[in-house]
Amino acid sequence: FELAHQLAQDPQLAEVPRVAFSADAMPDQIHRARDKGFSGYLTKPLDIRALLACIVSLALMVSILLQPSRSRALTAFAALCGALFAYYLGDFLVVLTAAELWLRVAVATGAIVPWVALSFFMEFLGVSARAAARGRRIAALGVVMGVVIAVSPLVERQWARYLMAAWSFGALTVTWSLVLGRMRGTSSRVERQRLLYLAVGAGGAIAFSATDELVALGIDFPPFGAVVTTLFLFFLAQTL
């Protein structure tokens, strides 16, 4: 830290990039490194799972949008892939650069994902707006909360980010309950089996994405959320 600070104060070396490479991935440590003069902060081993999820989400979105004719469900799925692309991009770059801009992007898009996911599943399952009224209100309020936190000094408050994350996962759980409800309500054995696989995949993506947040609490747990979500997106793409 002292060496980085001295280099930052040297007029001849101030423009030279200074990147820290450490096993400490705690946000406070990353911000401390930035304050001491580091221009970037990489954690080891370098986790590129968020980057891979970002690339896959973008590829799926582009492949759908390039189709000459597509259903409303496909368009909604493309929007979901786009929201996940923006979230994972911000999530990867905030770790890579520790820049506040990408933290704001990650918080805002993370709040938008549940609302887009709900819109997609409503279209995909044929759920009416009235039947999903509660979920729509929860997701819409989450979008407002996320944007307010992202554009204000609250984004620097850990408790505000935890609150937003908890709200987002709650909204995603409400969306998941729509799949379970449709599965229980169908009389077709084949359709019930298909919805069961869908529910298991969605539940796994939500659960493992939630465990990714344990690292910020100092709990060492493998971050599988991006991987499971990517696999789930592939599965969804095959069912549309």
Side-chain angles (χ1 to χ4, degrees):
F1 285 154
E2 183 60 32
L3 176 60
H5 180 70
Q6 291 178 7
L7 292 175
Q9 299 302 314
D10 190 325
Q12 295 181 337
L13 300 175
E15 299 301 321
V16 176
R18 298 168 299 280
V19 180
F21 194 47
S22 171
D24 192 341
M26 298 301 291
D28 291 344
Q29 181 72 358
I30 296 175
H31 285 296
R32 182 187 174 201
R34 294 282 295 184
D35 292 340
K36 291 297 183 178
F38 283 103
S39 52
Y41 191 100
L42 299 177
T43 57
K44 57 181 180 181
L46 183 60
D47 190 353
I48 62 171
R49 278 169 279 204
L51 177 60
L52 292 176
C54 174
I55 295 172
V56 170
S57 300
L58 177 62
L60 287 173
M61 179 187 70
V62 172
S63 67
I64 292 172
L65 294 179
L66 289 177
Q67 295 182 17
S69 60
R70 56 184 180 272
S71 64
R72 293 182 61 179
L74 270 176
T75 302
F77 181 66
L80 175 59
C81 290
L84 287 170
F85 159 71
Y87 168 72
Y88 282 120
L89 178 64
D91 187 51
F92 176 74
L93 290 178
V94 73
V95 173
L96 186 65
T97 67
E100 188 176 280
L101 169 63
W102 297 115
L103 177 61
R104 295 181 186 276
V105 169
V107 170
T109 54
I112 293 172
V113 166
W115 181 76
V116 181
L118 177 62
S119 299
F120 162 69
F121 278 104
M122 286 175 59
E123 192 66 41
F124 179 67
L125 298 172
V127 177
S128 67
R130 176 177 295 183
R134 182 183 65 172
R136 294 177 66 198
R137 287 194 295 268
I138 292 174
L141 182 56
V143 172
V144 175
M145 289 174 55
V147 172
V148 168
I149 292 173
V151 302
S152 71
L154 285 174
V155 76
E156 300 175 2
R157 303 295 182 180
Q158 199 171 52
W159 65 264
R161 298 197 300 271
Y162 285 161
L163 174 63
M164 190 63 255
W167 191 277
S168 294
F169 284 119
L172 288 171
T173 302
V174 172
T175 301
W176 180 57
S177 69
L178 294 179
V179 182
L180 293 177
R182 179 51 59 92
M183 182 184 69
R184 289 192 294 263
T186 185
S187 58
S188 170
R189 182 177 179 181
V190 175
E191 181 67 8
R192 187 182 300 112
Q193 194 70 23
R194 185 177 74 101
L195 290 173
L196 174 61
Y197 291 143
L198 189 64
V200 171
I206 295 171
F208 279 103
S209 295
T211 59
D212 287 353
E213 302 298 323
L214 295 177
V215 176
L217 299 176
I219 301 174
D220 189 14
F221 194 89
F224 290 128
V227 175
V228 176
T229 301
T230 300
L231 293 174
F232 180 59
L233 286 178
F234 268 119
F235 173 75
L236 270 179
Q238 298 304 312
T239 62
L240 293 172

